[in-house]
Amino acid sequence: DGGITQSPKYLFRKEGQNVTLSCEQNLNHDAMYWYRQDPGQGLRLIYYSQIVNDFQKGDIAEGYSVSREKKESFPLTVTSAQKNPTAFYLCASSIVRASNQPQHFGDGTRLSIL
Amino acid sequence: RKEVEQDPGPFNVPEGATVAFNCTYSNSASQSFFWYRQDCRKEPKLLMSVYSSGNEDGRFTAQLNRASQYISLLIRDSKLSDSATYLCVVINNAGNMLTFGGGTRLMVKP
């Protein structure tokens, strides 16, 4: 089945630690995105990538880093500089330059501070 | 002003009621529009696209008003299972960037 896989489902971070969230897609989509969602809030864009080896900051990129070495993979690292990392993190993908195509989401990673 | 705005609600309605949500957007050149549904602690899932002429899918009707820059979602004969947060999504005129509204929470009561 084609889709987006995020792992782990739950993640705990110790103070001062960097953690990496995985996102893999087999939909052959060019564009991938990372969002953060806080309780009762909408989605906020962290980073996005429209092509391999290229990515752009979203609205709340501080304290996060990404890489796009392969088309199917877009891992997100939550660094120790992100002081309030507890949130629901969603990865999405879409066909770039096809404006009538929606994004497809993974089922998310919940990150908490220990 | 936010690019895409929604009334956060919650909208509390009885089963069988008709309820409508609006979503306003600021970029008049926006190209494409969608409604997503998000259940508690789950990922958003596509509910329906919004076409210029309006479109219907069962009990759900989506409409676009370009002059006033808003989209709407109408739910008829509400079911308990319709309880969720409804997110509107706007794609920019370049066709390469999505913006989500903050979501409207709907609670359908027996």
Side-chain angles (χ1 to χ4, degrees):
Chain A
D1 275 359
I4 301 176
T5 302
Q6 288 187 241
S7 63
K9 200 171 181 68
Y10 299 95
L11 186 59
F12 297 91
R13 195 192 88 169
K14 294 179 183 177
E15 194 169 337
Q17 185 183 38
N18 292 353
V19 292
T20 297
L21 284 58
S22 169
C23 179
E24 304 279 329
Q25 54 99 0
N26 60 5
L27 299 167
N28 200 33
H29 285 172
D30 291 309
M32 296 186 75
Y33 311 80
W34 274 106
Y35 293 92
R36 169 183 172 138
Q37 188 176 36
D38 293 281
Q41 304 294 316
L43 279 69
R44 292 187 291 168
L45 182 65
I46 304 173
Y47 269 98
Y48 66 99
S49 168
Q50 297 186 48
I51 196 169
V52 173
N53 292 324
D54 185 54
F55 48 82
Q56 306 295 329
K57 291 182 178 180
D59 300 321
I60 54 165
E62 187 175 347
Y64 300 97
S65 66
V66 293
S67 63
R68 188 85 187 276
E69 296 175 3
K70 298 184 296 182
K71 185 175 185 178
E72 57 270 21
S73 178
F74 191 41
L76 173 74
T77 296
V78 184
T79 74
S80 57
Q82 173 49 248
K83 298 304 179 190
N84 183 23
T86 298
F88 186 39
Y89 290 87
L90 287 158
C91 177
S93 71
S94 68
I95 301 172
V96 74
R97 297 192 188 89
S99 62
N100 61 342
Q101 298 298 316
Q103 287 186 351
H104 299 266
F105 284 86
D107 54 10
T109 294
R110 293 197 178 276
L111 176 61
S112 302
I113 296 180
L114 274 178
Chain B
R1 182 186 172 190
K2 287 184 183 176
E3 286 186 53
V4 179
E5 289 198 79
Q6 294 183 250
D7 181 341
F11 284 56
N12 295 301
V13 302
E15 238 181 322
T18 296
V19 61
F21 314 131
N22 280 349
C23 167
T24 59
Y25 59 94
S26 60
N27 182 356
S28 60
S30 297
Q31 273 196 355
S32 304
F33 309 88
F34 303 93
W35 283 103
Y36 279 74
R37 171 193 168 127
Q38 186 175 25
D39 292 291
C40 188
R41 301 177 72 82
K42 299 285 188 182
E43 77 277 19
K45 293 188 178 175
L46 180 66
L47 179 65
M48 60 196 302
S49 304
V50 185
Y51 301 125
S52 297
S53 54
N55 49 299
E56 192 174 301
D57 182 2
R59 297 181 294 108
F60 299 84
T61 300
Q63 291 191 313
L64 167 64
N65 185 317
R66 283 199 183 272
S68 300
Q69 293 180 210
Y70 72 87
I71 61 171
S72 64
L73 178 68
L74 181 81
I75 306 175
R76 289 182 299 279
D77 189 23
S78 299
K79 311 290 185 192
L80 296 177
S81 57
D82 293 334
S83 297
T85 296
Y86 292 84
L87 302 163
C88 70
V89 175
V90 175
I91 297 186
N92 66 352
N93 49 323
N96 59 4
M97 203 60 233
L98 252 81
T99 303
F100 281 83
T104 296
R105 190 169 169 213
L106 171 66
M107 298 180 69
V108 181
K109 309 258 184 203

